[in-house]
Amino acid sequence: MNTESNGGPGIADVAARAADPAAAGETAGVEQRLGSRAPHFIRRSRPLHLSWQVGIFIVGLAVVVGGIIMLPLPGPGWLVIFAGMAIWATEFVWAQLVLRWTKRKVTEAAQKALDPKVRRRNIILTGVGAVIIVAGLAVYLWKFGFVLPWNADR
């Protein structure tokens, strides 16, 4: 577990910057440090900091497991999973790097969705899908009338 609680750049930070130079300046010129965001008096004491990290891990794990449970059930599963990752990111470098990567990918997808060519394609595909659905509904109404599908006789 690489926590980098001393506040300086750690191996994970240097490796992430070397592997992806865009990630180093992804916050529009504001450099966010990696590592623990625990209060100073907690970071000063190793046993207290370790127990803090265990508590953060357990709370984050409970939230992530709750999100995983919500994936097939009603509820905002992915949102809860990302909230659990954000809880972990307050203390663990690996979670901070995962969140940075996720934010970068979401931003790229949003920019791609706003591209006029992609928007035009999505509008065309939506229109074609709507025409197919309306045509299917018209054929059904023409053949059976306004009858529910489970009551329709051939």
Side-chain angles (χ1 to χ4, degrees):
M1 215 180 319
N2 184 7
T3 60
E4 302 299 332
S5 61
N6 62 357
I11 294 171
D13 188 21
V14 173
R17 286 183 186 168
D20 190 4
E26 70 183 358
T27 57
V30 177
E31 181 66 29
Q32 294 180 350
R33 68 178 181 88
L34 294 174
S36 177
R37 293 190 177 91
H40 181 67
F41 73 93
I42 290 177
R43 284 183 290 168
R44 222 175 17 197
S45 169
R46 182 70 183 147
L48 188 58
H49 192 225
L50 189 59
S51 62
W52 176 271
Q53 287 177 329
V54 168
I56 292 292
F57 183 79
I58 290 172
V59 170
L61 183 65
V63 173
V64 168
V65 167
I68 291 171
I69 290 170
M70 282 187 220
L71 285 176
L73 299 175
W78 284 110
L79 186 65
V80 174
I81 289 172
F82 290 132
M85 288 299 296
I87 290 171
W88 278 338
T90 62
E91 198 58 37
F92 303 109
V93 171
W94 60 268
Q96 292 168 0
L97 295 174
V98 168
L99 274 181
R100 283 184 181 183
W101 178 84
T102 304
K103 287 178 185 177
R104 190 173 61 250
K105 291 297 180 184
V106 167
T107 303
E108 289 173 6
Q111 290 298 324
K112 193 176 195 180
L114 293 176
D115 180 29
K117 290 180 183 178
V118 174
R119 288 186 67 192
R120 189 175 316 118
R121 183 199 65 202
N122 289 345
I123 290 171
I124 291 170
L125 288 175
T126 302
V128 169
V131 167
I132 291 171
I133 289 171
V134 168
L137 185 60
V139 167
Y140 177 84
L141 288 175
W142 174 67
K143 188 167 184 172
F144 299 108
F146 191 71
V147 178
L148 296 175
W150 47 86
N151 293 334
D153 294 327
R154 290 185 188 248

